Amino acid sequence: DMKVTQMPRYLIKRMGENVLLECGQDMSHETMYWYRQDPGLGLQLIYISYDVDSNSEGDIPKGYRVSRKKREHFSLILDSAKTNQTSVYFCASSSTGDEQYFGPGTRLTVL
Amino acid sequence: GDSVTQTEGLVTLTEGLPVMLNCTYQTIYSNPFLFWYVQHLNESPRLLLKSFTDNKRTEHQGFHATLHKSSSSFHLQKSSAQLSDSALYYCALSNNNNAPRFGAGTKLSVKP
């Protein structure tokens, strides 16, 4: 079953708190991605991971960091969350260069 | 670097009329993959079409697109719009060398 999962699906945090978003995939894809989606701004790439411990910044990495210790798991961490990080976050995975499979998304609100 | 340009903003159509959403791209690599993703309201993006073959039409769920490397285009078409086609559509470019690039997205609204 080809699937990308994300936890949690909904999260409310206060400004300054730490946030951990988790993503898993069962397709043994080497490449995984974190995006955020805001109205009118489309999908913005935060980080891309080409494999375990091989992570690269995307277009908007400031304020975020990632961790990939196992091929099937990719975490997004917000240290000291800010209100402008309120967004919907999507994780995706793919074989290198091929179509991306997206998770269901996490709706994060930072108060 | 790579880039993708799509029909901007909102496209509003009456049911039954043809759909055409434009997508052009820029890349220095000769063998890009091009994709169309569709995202319905409160859902995640999912693949609609993909191609890496020049001048070959690819079809799925009534939509079709042809990659034209000579004009760097991969326009999405459908002969007759349905209400259920209302969604956000993304064109995307990928190659084995760089992170994939998404266009800004085109919102298609189909009215009765």
Side-chain angles (χ1 to χ4, degrees), chain B residues 26-62:
Chain B
Q26 287 189 312
T27 182
I28 63 171
Y29 299 101
S30 56
N31 295 306
F33 276 60
L34 271 294
F35 307 86
W36 277 102
Y37 290 87
V38 59
Q39 184 180 19
H40 287 96
L41 190 62
N42 295 323
E43 296 183 4
S44 54
R46 62 174 175 83
L47 181 72
L48 181 59
L49 293 170
K50 68 178 181 180
S51 180
F52 59 89
T53 306
D54 199 11
N55 297 318
K56 181 179 178 183
R57 174 171 162 147
T58 183
E59 301 188 40
H60 186 60
Q61 295 184 335

PDB file of all heavy atoms in Angstrom, chain B residues 26-62:
ATOM      1  N   GLN B  26      11.423  26.397 -17.728  1.00  0.00           N
ATOM      2  CA  GLN B  26      12.802  26.688 -18.097  1.00  0.00           C
ATOM      3  C   GLN B  26      13.721  25.729 -17.363  1.00  0.00           C
ATOM      4  O   GLN B  26      13.594  25.558 -16.137  1.00  0.00           O
ATOM      5  CB  GLN B  26      13.174  28.133 -17.732  1.00  0.00           C
ATOM      6  CG  GLN B  26      12.541  29.185 -18.620  1.00  0.00           C
ATOM      7  CD  GLN B  26      13.127  30.563 -18.353  1.00  0.00           C
ATOM      8  OE1 GLN B  26      13.241  30.966 -17.199  1.00  0.00           O
ATOM      9  NE2 GLN B  26      13.487  31.266 -19.402  1.00  0.00           N
ATOM     10  N   THR B  27      14.623  25.100 -18.099  1.00  0.00           N
ATOM     11  CA  THR B  27      15.640  24.241 -17.501  1.00  0.00           C
ATOM     12  C   THR B  27      16.794  24.113 -18.487  1.00  0.00           C
ATOM     13  O   THR B  27      16.585  24.180 -19.694  1.00  0.00           O
ATOM     14  CB  THR B  27      15.080  22.848 -17.151  1.00  0.00           C
ATOM     15  OG1 THR B  27      16.108  22.060 -16.536  1.00  0.00           O
ATOM     16  CG2 THR B  27      14.547  22.116 -18.373  1.00  0.00           C
ATOM     17  N   ILE B  28      17.972  23.904 -17.950  1.00  0.00           N
ATOM     18  CA  ILE B  28      19.122  23.704 -18.829  1.00  0.00           C
ATOM     19  C   ILE B  28      19.294  22.227 -19.169  1.00  0.00           C
ATOM     20  O   ILE B  28      20.110  21.878 -20.016  1.00  0.00           O
ATOM     21  CB  ILE B  28      20.417  24.250 -18.196  1.00  0.00           C
ATOM     22  CG1 ILE B  28      20.755  23.485 -16.910  1.00  0.00           C
ATOM     23  CG2 ILE B  28      20.304  25.747 -17.946  1.00  0.00           C
ATOM     24  CD1 ILE B  28      22.127  23.828 -16.353  1.00  0.00           C
ATOM     25  N   TYR B  29      18.512  21.374 -18.499  1.00  0.00           N
ATOM     26  CA  TYR B  29      18.673  19.944 -18.707  1.00  0.00           C
ATOM     27  C   TYR B  29      17.769  19.477 -19.841  1.00  0.00           C
ATOM     28  O   TYR B  29      16.656  19.951 -20.011  1.00  0.00           O
ATOM     29  CB  TYR B  29      18.376  19.185 -17.409  1.00  0.00           C
ATOM     30  CG  TYR B  29      19.328  19.584 -16.307  1.00  0.00           C
ATOM     31  CD1 TYR B  29      18.949  20.482 -15.318  1.00  0.00           C
ATOM     32  CD2 TYR B  29      20.628  19.090 -16.289  1.00  0.00           C
ATOM     33  CE1 TYR B  29      19.833  20.869 -14.329  1.00  0.00           C
ATOM     34  CE2 TYR B  29      21.519  19.480 -15.304  1.00  0.00           C
ATOM     35  CZ  TYR B  29      21.113  20.362 -14.335  1.00  0.00           C
ATOM     36  OH  TYR B  29      21.993  20.747 -13.356  1.00  0.00           O
ATOM     37  N   SER B  30      18.237  18.506 -20.586  1.00  0.00           N
ATOM     38  CA  SER B  30      17.555  18.128 -21.825  1.00  0.00           C
ATOM     39  C   SER B  30      16.448  17.101 -21.624  1.00  0.00           C
ATOM     40  O   SER B  30      15.642  16.878 -22.526  1.00  0.00           O
ATOM     41  CB  SER B  30      18.568  17.582 -22.834  1.00  0.00           C
ATOM     42  OG  SER B  30      19.275  16.493 -22.262  1.00  0.00           O
ATOM     43  N   ASN B  31      16.401  16.456 -20.471  1.00  0.00           N
ATOM     44  CA  ASN B  31      15.410  15.398 -20.247  1.00  0.00           C
ATOM     45  C   ASN B  31      14.618  15.596 -18.959  1.00  0.00           C
ATOM     46  O   ASN B  31      14.669  14.760 -18.055  1.00  0.00           O
ATOM     47  CB  ASN B  31      16.087  14.030 -20.236  1.00  0.00           C
ATOM     48  CG  ASN B  31      16.679  13.686 -21.579  1.00  0.00           C
ATOM     49  OD1 ASN B  31      15.996  13.715 -22.595  1.00  0.00           O
ATOM     50  ND2 ASN B  31      17.964  13.385 -21.598  1.00  0.00           N
ATOM     51  N   PRO B  32      13.855  16.676 -18.893  1.00  0.00           N
ATOM     52  CA  PRO B  32      13.064  16.908 -17.676  1.00  0.00           C
ATOM     53  C   PRO B  32      11.824  16.017 -17.644  1.00  0.00           C
ATOM     54  O   PRO B  32      11.323  15.574 -18.674  1.00  0.00           O
ATOM     55  CB  PRO B  32      12.654  18.364 -17.802  1.00  0.00           C
ATOM     56  CG  PRO B  32      12.538  18.566 -19.275  1.00  0.00           C
ATOM     57  CD  PRO B  32      13.617  17.722 -19.896  1.00  0.00           C
ATOM     58  N   PHE B  33      11.349  15.775 -16.437  1.00  0.00           N
ATOM     59  CA  PHE B  33      10.029  15.198 -16.215  1.00  0.00           C
ATOM     60  C   PHE B  33       9.067  16.366 -15.971  1.00  0.00           C
ATOM     61  O   PHE B  33       9.378  17.276 -15.214  1.00  0.00           O
ATOM     62  CB  PHE B  33      10.021  14.315 -14.965  1.00  0.00           C
ATOM     63  CG  PHE B  33      10.488  12.911 -15.193  1.00  0.00           C
ATOM     64  CD1 PHE B  33      11.750  12.648 -15.662  1.00  0.00           C
ATOM     65  CD2 PHE B  33       9.652  11.841 -14.894  1.00  0.00           C
ATOM     66  CE1 PHE B  33      12.195  11.344 -15.848  1.00  0.00           C
ATOM     67  CE2 PHE B  33      10.085  10.534 -15.082  1.00  0.00           C
ATOM     68  CZ  PHE B  33      11.357  10.291 -15.548  1.00  0.00           C
ATOM     69  N   LEU B  34       7.889  16.313 -16.603  1.00  0.00           N
ATOM     70  CA  LEU B  34       6.860  17.309 -16.344  1.00  0.00           C
ATOM     71  C   LEU B  34       5.638  16.613 -15.748  1.00  0.00           C
ATOM     72  O   LEU B  34       5.297  15.485 -16.121  1.00  0.00           O
ATOM     73  CB  LEU B  34       6.459  18.038 -17.625  1.00  0.00           C
ATOM     74  CG  LEU B  34       7.245  19.300 -18.003  1.00  0.00           C
ATOM     75  CD1 LEU B  34       7.007  20.419 -16.973  1.00  0.00           C
ATOM     76  CD2 LEU B  34       8.709  19.021 -18.173  1.00  0.00           C
ATOM     77  N   PHE B  35       5.012  17.309 -14.815  1.00  0.00           N
ATOM     78  CA  PHE B  35       3.874  16.749 -14.075  1.00  0.00           C
ATOM     79  C   PHE B  35       2.743  17.778 -13.984  1.00  0.00           C
ATOM     80  O   PHE B  35       2.993  18.971 -13.942  1.00  0.00           O
ATOM     81  CB  PHE B  35       4.280  16.406 -12.633  1.00  0.00           C
ATOM     82  CG  PHE B  35       5.497  15.532 -12.500  1.00  0.00           C
ATOM     83  CD1 PHE B  35       6.770  16.093 -12.489  1.00  0.00           C
ATOM     84  CD2 PHE B  35       5.365  14.163 -12.371  1.00  0.00           C
ATOM     85  CE1 PHE B  35       7.889  15.292 -12.357  1.00  0.00           C
ATOM     86  CE2 PHE B  35       6.491  13.361 -12.235  1.00  0.00           C
ATOM     87  CZ  PHE B  35       7.752  13.929 -12.235  1.00  0.00           C
ATOM     88  N   TRP B  36       1.530  17.267 -13.925  1.00  0.00           N
ATOM     89  CA  TRP B  36       0.390  18.039 -13.462  1.00  0.00           C
ATOM     90  C   TRP B  36      -0.153  17.347 -12.219  1.00  0.00           C
ATOM     91  O   TRP B  36      -0.416  16.148 -12.231  1.00  0.00           O
ATOM     92  CB  TRP B  36      -0.707  18.121 -14.519  1.00  0.00           C
ATOM     93  CG  TRP B  36      -0.483  19.202 -15.531  1.00  0.00           C
ATOM     94  CD1 TRP B  36      -0.006  19.063 -16.800  1.00  0.00           C
ATOM     95  CD2 TRP B  36      -0.744  20.602 -15.367  1.00  0.00           C
ATOM     96  NE1 TRP B  36       0.052  20.276 -17.420  1.00  0.00           N
ATOM     97  CE2 TRP B  36      -0.396  21.242 -16.559  1.00  0.00           C
ATOM     98  CE3 TRP B  36      -1.249  21.375 -14.308  1.00  0.00           C
ATOM     99  CZ2 TRP B  36      -0.532  22.622 -16.747  1.00  0.00           C
ATOM    100  CZ3 TRP B  36      -1.380  22.733 -14.486  1.00  0.00           C
ATOM    101  CH2 TRP B  36      -1.018  23.348 -15.695  1.00  0.00           C
ATOM    102  N   TYR B  37      -0.314  18.158 -11.154  1.00  0.00           N
ATOM    103  CA  TYR B  37      -0.934  17.682  -9.927  1.00  0.00           C
ATOM    104  C   TYR B  37      -2.257  18.407  -9.751  1.00  0.00           C
ATOM    105  O   TYR B  37      -2.394  19.573 -10.113  1.00  0.00           O
ATOM    106  CB  TYR B  37      -0.054  17.976  -8.709  1.00  0.00           C
ATOM    107  CG  TYR B  37       1.228  17.156  -8.647  1.00  0.00           C
ATOM    108  CD1 TYR B  37       2.380  17.579  -9.293  1.00  0.00           C
ATOM    109  CD2 TYR B  37       1.276  15.968  -7.931  1.00  0.00           C
ATOM    110  CE1 TYR B  37       3.556  16.847  -9.238  1.00  0.00           C
ATOM    111  CE2 TYR B  37       2.446  15.213  -7.867  1.00  0.00           C
ATOM    112  CZ  TYR B  37       3.581  15.659  -8.533  1.00  0.00           C
ATOM    113  OH  TYR B  37       4.730  14.919  -8.475  1.00  0.00           O
ATOM    114  N   VAL B  38      -3.219  17.721  -9.145  1.00  0.00           N
ATOM    115  CA  VAL B  38      -4.517  18.335  -8.854  1.00  0.00           C
ATOM    116  C   VAL B  38      -4.755  18.268  -7.355  1.00  0.00           C
ATOM    117  O   VAL B  38      -4.409  17.265  -6.707  1.00  0.00           O
ATOM    118  CB  VAL B  38      -5.648  17.648  -9.640  1.00  0.00           C
ATOM    119  CG1 VAL B  38      -5.755  16.165  -9.327  1.00  0.00           C
ATOM    120  CG2 VAL B  38      -6.978  18.344  -9.391  1.00  0.00           C
ATOM    121  N   GLN B  39      -5.298  19.338  -6.817  1.00  0.00           N
ATOM    122  CA  GLN B  39      -5.584  19.395  -5.383  1.00  0.00           C
ATOM    123  C   GLN B  39      -7.009  19.894  -5.194  1.00  0.00           C
ATOM    124  O   GLN B  39      -7.313  21.066  -5.427  1.00  0.00           O
ATOM    125  CB  GLN B  39      -4.605  20.313  -4.669  1.00  0.00           C
ATOM    126  CG  GLN B  39      -4.796  20.342  -3.160  1.00  0.00           C
ATOM    127  CD  GLN B  39      -3.809  21.268  -2.460  1.00  0.00           C
ATOM    128  OE1 GLN B  39      -3.210  22.150  -3.066  1.00  0.00           O
ATOM    129  NE2 GLN B  39      -3.613  21.057  -1.167  1.00  0.00           N
ATOM    130  N   HIS B  40      -7.884  19.009  -4.765  1.00  0.00           N
ATOM    131  CA  HIS B  40      -9.247  19.412  -4.442  1.00  0.00           C
ATOM    132  C   HIS B  40      -9.289  20.008  -3.045  1.00  0.00           C
ATOM    133  O   HIS B  40      -8.376  19.794  -2.226  1.00  0.00           O
ATOM    134  CB  HIS B  40     -10.198  18.213  -4.574  1.00  0.00           C
ATOM    135  CG  HIS B  40     -10.462  17.822  -5.985  1.00  0.00           C
ATOM    136  ND1 HIS B  40      -9.773  16.819  -6.629  1.00  0.00           N
ATOM    137  CD2 HIS B  40     -11.349  18.301  -6.893  1.00  0.00           C
ATOM    138  CE1 HIS B  40     -10.203  16.704  -7.863  1.00  0.00           C
ATOM    139  NE2 HIS B  40     -11.169  17.594  -8.063  1.00  0.00           N
ATOM    140  N   LEU B  41     -10.360  20.730  -2.782  1.00  0.00           N
ATOM    141  CA  LEU B  41     -10.489  21.458  -1.528  1.00  0.00           C
ATOM    142  C   LEU B  41     -10.324  20.534  -0.333  1.00  0.00           C
ATOM    143  O   LEU B  41     -10.934  19.463  -0.279  1.00  0.00           O
ATOM    144  CB  LEU B  41     -11.851  22.158  -1.490  1.00  0.00           C
ATOM    145  CG  LEU B  41     -12.068  23.156  -0.362  1.00  0.00           C
ATOM    146  CD1 LEU B  41     -11.079  24.309  -0.477  1.00  0.00           C
ATOM    147  CD2 LEU B  41     -13.510  23.674  -0.391  1.00  0.00           C
ATOM    148  N   ASN B  42      -9.472  20.943   0.596  1.00  0.00           N
ATOM    149  CA  ASN B  42      -9.204  20.195   1.837  1.00  0.00           C
ATOM    150  C   ASN B  42      -8.571  18.825   1.602  1.00  0.00           C
ATOM    151  O   ASN B  42      -8.682  17.946   2.465  1.00  0.00           O
ATOM    152  CB  ASN B  42     -10.484  20.052   2.673  1.00  0.00           C
ATOM    153  CG  ASN B  42     -10.983  21.399   3.151  1.00  0.00           C
ATOM    154  OD1 ASN B  42     -10.201  22.285   3.483  1.00  0.00           O
ATOM    155  ND2 ASN B  42     -12.293  21.576   3.163  1.00  0.00           N
ATOM    156  N   GLU B  43      -7.954  18.663   0.448  1.00  0.00           N
ATOM    157  CA  GLU B  43      -7.207  17.443   0.182  1.00  0.00           C
ATOM    158  C   GLU B  43      -5.748  17.785  -0.109  1.00  0.00           C
ATOM    159  O   GLU B  43      -5.370  18.949  -0.180  1.00  0.00           O
ATOM    160  CB  GLU B  43      -7.816  16.685  -0.995  1.00  0.00           C
ATOM    161  CG  GLU B  43      -9.223  16.193  -0.729  1.00  0.00           C
ATOM    162  CD  GLU B  43      -9.788  15.389  -1.887  1.00  0.00           C
ATOM    163  OE1 GLU B  43      -9.055  15.144  -2.872  1.00  0.00           O
ATOM    164  OE2 GLU B  43     -10.960  14.996  -1.805  1.00  0.00           O
ATOM    165  N   SER B  44      -4.940  16.753  -0.279  1.00  0.00           N
ATOM    166  CA  SER B  44      -3.538  16.969  -0.623  1.00  0.00           C
ATOM    167  C   SER B  44      -3.380  16.838  -2.137  1.00  0.00           C
ATOM    168  O   SER B  44      -4.209  16.231  -2.812  1.00  0.00           O
ATOM    169  CB  SER B  44      -2.643  15.977   0.115  1.00  0.00           C
ATOM    170  OG  SER B  44      -3.067  14.657  -0.109  1.00  0.00           O
ATOM    171  N   PRO B  45      -2.305  17.416  -2.691  1.00  0.00           N
ATOM    172  CA  PRO B  45      -2.075  17.266  -4.135  1.00  0.00           C
ATOM    173  C   PRO B  45      -1.861  15.796  -4.501  1.00  0.00           C
ATOM    174  O   PRO B  45      -1.274  15.023  -3.743  1.00  0.00           O
ATOM    175  CB  PRO B  45      -0.796  18.072  -4.372  1.00  0.00           C
ATOM    176  CG  PRO B  45      -0.686  19.000  -3.211  1.00  0.00           C
ATOM    177  CD  PRO B  45      -1.278  18.264  -2.057  1.00  0.00           C
ATOM    178  N   ARG B  46      -2.361  15.440  -5.685  1.00  0.00           N
ATOM    179  CA  ARG B  46      -2.095  14.105  -6.186  1.00  0.00           C
ATOM    180  C   ARG B  46      -1.784  14.209  -7.675  1.00  0.00           C
ATOM    181  O   ARG B  46      -2.220  15.122  -8.357  1.00  0.00           O
ATOM    182  CB  ARG B  46      -3.279  13.165  -5.950  1.00  0.00           C
ATOM    183  CG  ARG B  46      -4.553  13.581  -6.645  1.00  0.00           C
ATOM    184  CD  ARG B  46      -5.640  12.526  -6.494  1.00  0.00           C
ATOM    185  NE  ARG B  46      -6.903  12.978  -7.077  1.00  0.00           N
ATOM    186  CZ  ARG B  46      -7.222  12.905  -8.359  1.00  0.00           C
ATOM    187  NH1 ARG B  46      -6.360  12.420  -9.218  1.00  0.00           N
ATOM    188  NH2 ARG B  46      -8.397  13.319  -8.777  1.00  0.00           N
ATOM    189  N   LEU B  47      -1.042  13.237  -8.171  1.00  0.00           N
ATOM    190  CA  LEU B  47      -0.621  13.262  -9.561  1.00  0.00           C
ATOM    191  C   LEU B  47      -1.817  13.097 -10.492  1.00  0.00           C
ATOM    192  O   LEU B  47      -2.667  12.225 -10.297  1.00  0.00           O
ATOM    193  CB  LEU B  47       0.375  12.138  -9.821  1.00  0.00           C
ATOM    194  CG  LEU B  47       0.900  12.082 -11.256  1.00  0.00           C
ATOM    195  CD1 LEU B  47       1.860  13.251 -11.504  1.00  0.00           C
ATOM    196  CD2 LEU B  47       1.573  10.760 -11.525  1.00  0.00           C
ATOM    197  N   LEU B  48      -1.851  13.937 -11.531  1.00  0.00           N
ATOM    198  CA  LEU B  48      -2.861  13.802 -12.582  1.00  0.00           C
ATOM    199  C   LEU B  48      -2.231  13.229 -13.861  1.00  0.00           C
ATOM    200  O   LEU B  48      -2.754  12.303 -14.454  1.00  0.00           O
ATOM    201  CB  LEU B  48      -3.493  15.177 -12.860  1.00  0.00           C
ATOM    202  CG  LEU B  48      -4.576  15.257 -13.909  1.00  0.00           C
ATOM    203  CD1 LEU B  48      -5.748  14.352 -13.560  1.00  0.00           C
ATOM    204  CD2 LEU B  48      -5.042  16.703 -14.080  1.00  0.00           C
ATOM    205  N   LEU B  49      -1.110  13.819 -14.267  1.00  0.00           N
ATOM    206  CA  LEU B  49      -0.419  13.395 -15.496  1.00  0.00           C
ATOM    207  C   LEU B  49       1.074  13.563 -15.322  1.00  0.00           C
ATOM    208  O   LEU B  49       1.506  14.446 -14.584  1.00  0.00           O
ATOM    209  CB  LEU B  49      -0.824  14.268 -16.690  1.00  0.00           C
ATOM    210  CG  LEU B  49      -2.227  14.232 -17.239  1.00  0.00           C
ATOM    211  CD1 LEU B  49      -2.389  15.374 -18.243  1.00  0.00           C
ATOM    212  CD2 LEU B  49      -2.492  12.903 -17.911  1.00  0.00           C
ATOM    213  N   LYS B  50       1.837  12.780 -16.076  1.00  0.00           N
ATOM    214  CA  LYS B  50       3.271  13.027 -16.117  1.00  0.00           C
ATOM    215  C   LYS B  50       3.815  12.619 -17.476  1.00  0.00           C
ATOM    216  O   LYS B  50       3.240  11.765 -18.162  1.00  0.00           O
ATOM    217  CB  LYS B  50       4.010  12.272 -15.018  1.00  0.00           C
ATOM    218  CG  LYS B  50       4.032  10.760 -15.168  1.00  0.00           C
ATOM    219  CD  LYS B  50       4.853  10.141 -14.034  1.00  0.00           C
ATOM    220  CE  LYS B  50       4.914   8.627 -14.165  1.00  0.00           C
ATOM    221  NZ  LYS B  50       5.719   8.007 -13.051  1.00  0.00           N
ATOM    222  N   SER B  51       4.931  13.231 -17.849  1.00  0.00           N
ATOM    223  CA  SER B  51       5.552  12.895 -19.125  1.00  0.00           C
ATOM    224  C   SER B  51       7.015  13.276 -19.130  1.00  0.00           C
ATOM    225  O   SER B  51       7.412  14.247 -18.484  1.00  0.00           O
ATOM    226  CB  SER B  51       4.844  13.609 -20.280  1.00  0.00           C
ATOM    227  OG  SER B  51       5.445  13.272 -21.518  1.00  0.00           O
ATOM    228  N   PHE B  52       7.791  12.503 -19.838  1.00  0.00           N
ATOM    229  CA  PHE B  52       9.172  12.893 -20.135  1.00  0.00           C
ATOM    230  C   PHE B  52       9.495  12.676 -21.620  1.00  0.00           C
ATOM    231  O   PHE B  52      10.623  12.867 -22.053  1.00  0.00           O
ATOM    232  CB  PHE B  52      10.174  12.126 -19.260  1.00  0.00           C
ATOM    233  CG  PHE B  52      10.110  10.635 -19.413  1.00  0.00           C
ATOM    234  CD1 PHE B  52      10.870   9.992 -20.372  1.00  0.00           C
ATOM    235  CD2 PHE B  52       9.304   9.875 -18.593  1.00  0.00           C
ATOM    236  CE1 PHE B  52      10.810   8.616 -20.514  1.00  0.00           C
ATOM    237  CE2 PHE B  52       9.234   8.496 -18.731  1.00  0.00           C
ATOM    238  CZ  PHE B  52       9.990   7.864 -19.681  1.00  0.00           C
ATOM    239  N   THR B  53       8.480  12.274 -22.382  1.00  0.00           N
ATOM    240  CA  THR B  53       8.674  11.964 -23.796  1.00  0.00           C
ATOM    241  C   THR B  53       8.229  13.133 -24.658  1.00  0.00           C
ATOM    242  O   THR B  53       7.061  13.544 -24.597  1.00  0.00           O
ATOM    243  CB  THR B  53       7.888  10.715 -24.178  1.00  0.00           C
ATOM    244  OG1 THR B  53       8.251   9.645 -23.300  1.00  0.00           O
ATOM    245  CG2 THR B  53       8.183  10.320 -25.614  1.00  0.00           C
ATOM    246  N   ASP B  54       9.104  13.631 -25.484  1.00  0.00           N
ATOM    247  CA  ASP B  54       8.787  14.767 -26.343  1.00  0.00           C
ATOM    248  C   ASP B  54       7.703  14.400 -27.345  1.00  0.00           C
ATOM    249  O   ASP B  54       7.724  13.318 -27.953  1.00  0.00           O
ATOM    250  CB  ASP B  54      10.063  15.191 -27.073  1.00  0.00           C
ATOM    251  CG  ASP B  54       9.998  16.595 -27.627  1.00  0.00           C
ATOM    252  OD1 ASP B  54       9.049  17.345 -27.277  1.00  0.00           O
ATOM    253  OD2 ASP B  54      10.876  16.949 -28.423  1.00  0.00           O
ATOM    254  N   ASN B  55       6.741  15.300 -27.482  1.00  0.00           N
ATOM    255  CA  ASN B  55       5.691  15.208 -28.512  1.00  0.00           C
ATOM    256  C   ASN B  55       4.790  13.984 -28.374  1.00  0.00           C
ATOM    257  O   ASN B  55       4.148  13.575 -29.348  1.00  0.00           O
ATOM    258  CB  ASN B  55       6.309  15.237 -29.916  1.00  0.00           C
ATOM    259  CG  ASN B  55       7.020  16.538 -30.191  1.00  0.00           C
ATOM    260  OD1 ASN B  55       6.518  17.614 -29.847  1.00  0.00           O
ATOM    261  ND2 ASN B  55       8.193  16.451 -30.777  1.00  0.00           N
ATOM    262  N   LYS B  56       4.710  13.424 -27.204  1.00  0.00           N
ATOM    263  CA  LYS B  56       3.812  12.290 -26.972  1.00  0.00           C
ATOM    264  C   LYS B  56       2.687  12.714 -26.031  1.00  0.00           C
ATOM    265  O   LYS B  56       2.928  13.196 -24.931  1.00  0.00           O
ATOM    266  CB  LYS B  56       4.561  11.105 -26.382  1.00  0.00           C
ATOM    267  CG  LYS B  56       3.660   9.895 -26.156  1.00  0.00           C
ATOM    268  CD  LYS B  56       4.428   8.721 -25.593  1.00  0.00           C
ATOM    269  CE  LYS B  56       3.489   7.542 -25.340  1.00  0.00           C
ATOM    270  NZ  LYS B  56       4.192   6.400 -24.724  1.00  0.00           N
ATOM    271  N   ARG B  57       1.439  12.521 -26.459  1.00  0.00           N
ATOM    272  CA  ARG B  57       0.274  12.879 -25.642  1.00  0.00           C
ATOM    273  C   ARG B  57       0.097  11.872 -24.521  1.00  0.00           C
ATOM    274  O   ARG B  57       0.150  10.662 -24.734  1.00  0.00           O
ATOM    275  CB  ARG B  57      -0.952  12.921 -26.555  1.00  0.00           C
ATOM    276  CG  ARG B  57      -2.277  13.137 -25.862  1.00  0.00           C
ATOM    277  CD  ARG B  57      -3.346  13.382 -26.892  1.00  0.00           C
ATOM    278  NE  ARG B  57      -4.686  13.184 -26.390  1.00  0.00           N
ATOM    279  CZ  ARG B  57      -5.740  13.891 -26.804  1.00  0.00           C
ATOM    280  NH1 ARG B  57      -5.597  14.847 -27.707  1.00  0.00           N
ATOM    281  NH2 ARG B  57      -6.953  13.637 -26.317  1.00  0.00           N
ATOM    282  N   THR B  58      -0.134  12.377 -23.320  1.00  0.00           N
ATOM    283  CA  THR B  58      -0.427  11.526 -22.171  1.00  0.00           C
ATOM    284  C   THR B  58      -1.810  11.895 -21.650  1.00  0.00           C
ATOM    285  O   THR B  58      -2.180  13.080 -21.632  1.00  0.00           O
ATOM    286  CB  THR B  58       0.661  11.662 -21.089  1.00  0.00           C
ATOM    287  OG1 THR B  58       0.375  10.768 -20.029  1.00  0.00           O
ATOM    288  CG2 THR B  58       0.763  13.071 -20.550  1.00  0.00           C
ATOM    289  N   GLU B  59      -2.595  10.895 -21.263  1.00  0.00           N
ATOM    290  CA  GLU B  59      -3.980  11.124 -20.876  1.00  0.00           C
ATOM    291  C   GLU B  59      -4.315  10.431 -19.568  1.00  0.00           C
ATOM    292  O   GLU B  59      -3.782   9.346 -19.259  1.00  0.00           O
ATOM    293  CB  GLU B  59      -4.945  10.577 -21.943  1.00  0.00           C
ATOM    294  CG  GLU B  59      -4.788  11.170 -23.305  1.00  0.00           C
ATOM    295  CD  GLU B  59      -5.891  10.744 -24.261  1.00  0.00           C
ATOM    296  OE1 GLU B  59      -7.058  10.667 -23.835  1.00  0.00           O
ATOM    297  OE2 GLU B  59      -5.567  10.507 -25.429  1.00  0.00           O
ATOM    298  N   HIS B  60      -5.211  11.041 -18.816  1.00  0.00           N
ATOM    299  CA  HIS B  60      -5.699  10.400 -17.584  1.00  0.00           C
ATOM    300  C   HIS B  60      -6.956  11.125 -17.131  1.00  0.00           C
ATOM    301  O   HIS B  60      -6.981  12.358 -17.080  1.00  0.00           O
ATOM    302  CB  HIS B  60      -4.632  10.458 -16.488  1.00  0.00           C
ATOM    303  CG  HIS B  60      -4.984   9.706 -15.247  1.00  0.00           C
ATOM    304  ND1 HIS B  60      -5.225   8.358 -15.226  1.00  0.00           N
ATOM    305  CD2 HIS B  60      -5.155  10.131 -13.973  1.00  0.00           C
ATOM    306  CE1 HIS B  60      -5.517   7.978 -13.995  1.00  0.00           C
ATOM    307  NE2 HIS B  60      -5.478   9.036 -13.211  1.00  0.00           N
ATOM    308  N   GLN B  61      -7.975  10.370 -16.820  1.00  0.00           N
ATOM    309  CA  GLN B  61      -9.222  10.906 -16.272  1.00  0.00           C
ATOM    310  C   GLN B  61      -9.795  12.032 -17.134  1.00  0.00           C
ATOM    311  O   GLN B  61     -10.317  13.021 -16.616  1.00  0.00           O
ATOM    312  CB  GLN B  61      -8.996  11.391 -14.832  1.00  0.00           C
ATOM    313  CG  GLN B  61      -8.640  10.255 -13.891  1.00  0.00           C
ATOM    314  CD  GLN B  61      -8.507  10.698 -12.441  1.00  0.00           C
ATOM    315  OE1 GLN B  61      -8.229  11.856 -12.153  1.00  0.00           O
ATOM    316  NE2 GLN B  61      -8.705   9.763 -11.524  1.00  0.00           N
ATOM    317  N   GLY B  62      -9.694  11.878 -18.456  1.00  0.00           N
ATOM    318  CA  GLY B  62     -10.258  12.850 -19.369  1.00  0.00           C
ATOM    319  C   GLY B  62      -9.357  14.034 -19.675  1.00  0.00           C
ATOM    320  O   GLY B  62      -9.624  14.805 -20.594  1.00  0.00           O
TER     321      GLY B  62
END
